[in-house]
């Protein structure tokens, strides 16, 4: 194994992870990841509001929180199925099939969420 | 009107009916030793002015003979009753009197063993009435005297008595109005909730893939029908009923099925060709 340079040693694991992610991840997946990040932050803030301030329009909270969580799950599964690295895992699922599932699931989720919105 | 006709009929009937009368009607009050403390004739036209007092050991004796006024013969009436009535409590007791074939009647009321027909009594005297009825004779209904008897136990309450009272009025208790948070807090959290949108737009502007085929005739109908679905669900929130949404959603589903199949298969074909 070649000795690592001093510069490389100084780099923290987090930093190297970030670099690897930036370099190796296709733009399409980054696009999905940014949406996931958005959903996560949005859900966390709604939950904080409910816990710290008031849960008053509770149905609205349920609708908002459930939409972020549900959309996160659907998007995460879409991401894992279209990821080229996982192609071995999902041999029978084409990316198009995954997107169709995602669209159908999202529409059903949105229908339920709007029902809760009141 | 009905009452008038009925009373007229009764009057006509009583004109033709024969008349009963009582011969030597009398009541006697005996004490526990059998000594007479009071003995009076009964008047059929007037109620006795002095009420009758009975102690716990006294006995009241009522005797009379029922006779046909015309022939003067004793008759046995079909119905003969004494009625004890308490006007304050509306309680009453009916005591049948046994009459012989010759029309002689005798009733003994021993207060040491009061009959079951005596109603519960309090401070108010019982009104004692005599009723005699016989077919083809006009009936007799006379008030005899007021009767004071020792206090009885209060009447037992009916088991269902408690159910027949007004229930306490229902007061609805409502939850207090919801307190709204301060405007500042609301504003801060509104900003916080909106903030991820800016982050999303910022990130997407960095990494957005090139949408080369979005407007191709193969894909565009699918995107449009998906958008129509989202608009339908949104409009459901604003104005629509569930039935309308399901109907429109069903129609859209068919469109979506074909457009989606076409669009996705065209994309898949392109992808496989590229590979």
């Amino acid at each position: 194994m070649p000795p690592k340079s001093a510069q490389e040693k100084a780099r923290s694991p987090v930093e190297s992870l970030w670099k690897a992610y930036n370099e190796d991840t296709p733009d399409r997946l980054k696009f999905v990841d940014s949406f996931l990040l958005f959903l996560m932050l949005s859900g966390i803030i709604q939950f904080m509001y409910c816990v710290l301030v008031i849960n008053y329009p509770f149905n609205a909270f349920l609708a908002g929180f459930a939409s972020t969580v549900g959309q996160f799950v659907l998007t995460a599964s879409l991401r894992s199925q279209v990821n080229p690295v996982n192609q071995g895992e999902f041999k029978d699922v084409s990316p198009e099939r995954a997107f169709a599932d995602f669209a159908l699931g999202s529409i059903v989720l949105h229908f339920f969420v709007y029902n809760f919105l009141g | 009107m009905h009452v008038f006709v009925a009373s007229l009929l009764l009057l006509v009937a009583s004109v033709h009916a024969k008349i009963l009368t009582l011969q030597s009607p009398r009541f006697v009050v005996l004490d526990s030793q059998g000594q007479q403390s009071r003995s009076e004739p009964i008047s059929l036209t007037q109620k006795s002015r002095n009420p009758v007092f009975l102690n716990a050991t006294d006995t009241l004796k009522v005797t009379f003979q029922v006779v046909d006024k015309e022939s003067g013969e004793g008759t046995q009436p079909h119905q003969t009753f004494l009625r004890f009535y308490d006007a304050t409590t509306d309680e009453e007791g009916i005591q049948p009197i046994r009459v012989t074939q010759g029309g002689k009647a005798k009733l003994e009321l021993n207060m040491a063993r009061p009959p079951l027909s005596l109603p519960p009594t309090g401070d108010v005297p019982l009104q004692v009435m005599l009723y005699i009825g016989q077919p083809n004779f006009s009936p007799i209904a006379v008030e005899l005297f007021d009767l004071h008897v020792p206090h009885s136990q209060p009447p037992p309450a009916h088991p269902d008595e408690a159910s027949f009272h007004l229930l306490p009025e229902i007061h609805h208790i409502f939850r207090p109005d919801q307190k709204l948070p301060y405007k500042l807090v609301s504003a801060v959290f509104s900003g916080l909730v909106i903030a991820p949108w800016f982050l999303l737009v910022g990130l997407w502007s960095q990494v957005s893939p090139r949408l080369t085929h979005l407007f191709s005739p193969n894909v565009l109908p699918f995107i449009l029908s998906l958008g129509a679905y989202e608009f339908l669900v949104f409009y459901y929130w604003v104005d629509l009923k569930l039935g309308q949404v399901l109907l429109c959603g069903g129609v859209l589903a068919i469109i979506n099925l074909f457009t989606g199949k076409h669009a996705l298969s065209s994309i898949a074909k392109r992808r496989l060709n590229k590979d």
Side-chain angles (χ1 to χ4, degrees):
Chain A
M1 192 184 276
K4 287 178 184 171
S5 69
Q7 201 186 1
E8 261 177 330
K9 269 181 191 169
R11 221 192 274 159
S12 74
V14 174
E15 224 171 311
S16 63
L17 181 69
W18 177 243
K19 186 165 182 285
Y21 173 80
N22 265 337
E23 284 168 4
D24 301 341
T25 312
D27 264 5
R28 283 164 183 267
L29 288 187
K30 282 184 184 165
F31 185 76
V32 174
D33 284 339
S34 48
F35 187 48
L36 286 172
L37 180 69
F38 157 76
L39 287 171
M40 196 170 72
L41 289 177
S42 194
I44 288 172
I45 293 168
Q46 288 180 54
F47 190 73
M48 269 169 53
Y49 179 78
C50 177
V51 171
L52 295 180
V53 184
I54 195 171
N55 67 0
Y56 166 41
F58 191 58
N59 54 331
F61 163 72
L62 282 182
F65 191 65
S67 68
T68 53
V69 171
Q71 196 66 63
F72 186 91
V73 170
L74 291 173
T75 313
S77 70
L78 171 72
R79 187 198 190 280
S80 68
Q81 287 181 38
V82 299
N83 194 345
V85 181
N86 291 346
Q87 224 159 23
E89 297 270 348
F90 301 103
K91 271 180 192 145
D92 300 334
V93 184
S94 67
E96 289 77 25
R97 165 73 197 279
F99 182 76
D101 288 349
F102 171 75
L104 178 67
S106 296
I107 285 168
V108 173
L109 174 74
H110 296 168
F111 176 69
F112 279 104
V113 162
Y114 273 106
N115 263 313
F116 261 100
L117 210 48
Chain B
M1 186 66 191
H2 285 290
V3 176
F4 178 72
V5 171
S7 56
L8 205 66
L9 283 175
L10 203 67
L11 196 68
V12 171
S14 63
V15 165
H16 291 285
K18 295 187 275 185
I19 295 172
L20 285 174
T21 187
L22 299 187
Q23 206 167 52
S24 60
R26 192 164 195 84
F27 71 84
V28 179
V29 178
L30 305 167
D31 63 15
S32 55
Q33 309 297 319
Q35 302 287 318
Q36 279 190 15
S37 59
R38 185 171 169 186
S39 174
E40 261 180 49
I42 295 172
S43 160
L44 287 191
T45 53
Q46 206 179 359
K47 180 179 169 184
S48 171
R49 282 197 191 151
N50 301 322
V52 179
F53 289 87
L54 290 182
N55 287 328
T57 53
D58 286 349
T59 303
L60 174 73
K61 211 187 250 182
V62 179
T63 53
F64 52 85
Q65 190 187 8
V66 186
V67 294
D68 184 345
K69 198 169 187 180
E70 276 179 40
S71 64
E73 286 175 10
T75 58
Q76 184 183 34
H78 195 253
Q79 309 276 335
T80 312
F81 296 112
L82 270 192
R83 175 177 181 244
F84 306 96
Y85 176 62
D86 186 338
T88 53
T89 59
D90 219 22
E91 295 274 358
E92 66 172 5
I94 305 289
Q95 175 66 44
I97 302 176
R98 196 181 289 262
V99 185
T100 63
Q101 285 201 334
K104 290 192 173 172
K106 189 170 92 171
L107 174 77
E108 274 194 32
L109 204 64
N110 186 355
M111 289 315 289
R113 293 194 306 168
L116 289 174
S117 59
L118 212 58
T121 50
D123 296 325
V124 181
L126 298 171
Q127 298 167 21
V128 181
M129 279 159 271
L130 177 67
Y131 294 94
I132 296 174
Q134 167 79 338
N136 301 325
F137 286 86
S138 58
I140 293 177
V142 283
E143 207 166 321
L144 304 182
F145 46 79
D146 285 344
L147 178 66
H148 281 274
V149 292
H151 283 209
S152 68
Q153 297 281 341
H158 193 274
D160 287 342
E161 202 267 346
S163 312
F164 290 88
H165 290 285
L166 281 182
L167 290 173
E169 198 178 334
I170 295 172
H171 291 285
H172 294 280
I173 298 171
F174 296 99
R175 222 196 288 185
D177 277 347
Q178 200 72 38
K179 269 189 281 179
L180 291 178
Y182 294 114
K183 286 215 165 128
L184 181 68
V185 178
S186 280
V188 167
F189 270 90
S190 301
L192 277 176
V193 169
I194 292 172
W197 285 96
F198 291 107
L199 179 73
L200 179 71
V201 171
L203 285 174
W204 275 3
S205 66
Q206 297 286 313
V207 298
S208 181
R210 292 206 341 266
L211 300 169
T212 44
H213 306 292
L214 182 61
F215 296 107
S216 80
N218 288 332
V219 180
L220 190 62
F222 181 46
I223 301 298
L224 285 181
S225 56
L226 279 183
Y229 240 123
E230 291 298 326
F231 178 76
L232 173 71
V233 177
F234 172 75
Y235 200 60
Y236 168 45
W237 179 48
V238 177
D239 194 28
L240 289 182
K241 298 268 179 293
L242 183 62
Q244 298 165 312
V245 172
L246 292 179
L247 184 68
C248 296
V251 173
L252 266 181
I254 297 168
I255 298 172
N256 232 327
L257 195 71
F258 286 107
T259 56
K261 190 162 172 50
H262 182 70
L264 292 177
S265 61
S266 76
I267 290 174
K269 210 180 285 171
R270 202 164 48 227
R271 176 171 56 89
L272 292 177
N273 285 342
K274 211 189 281 177
D275 289 344

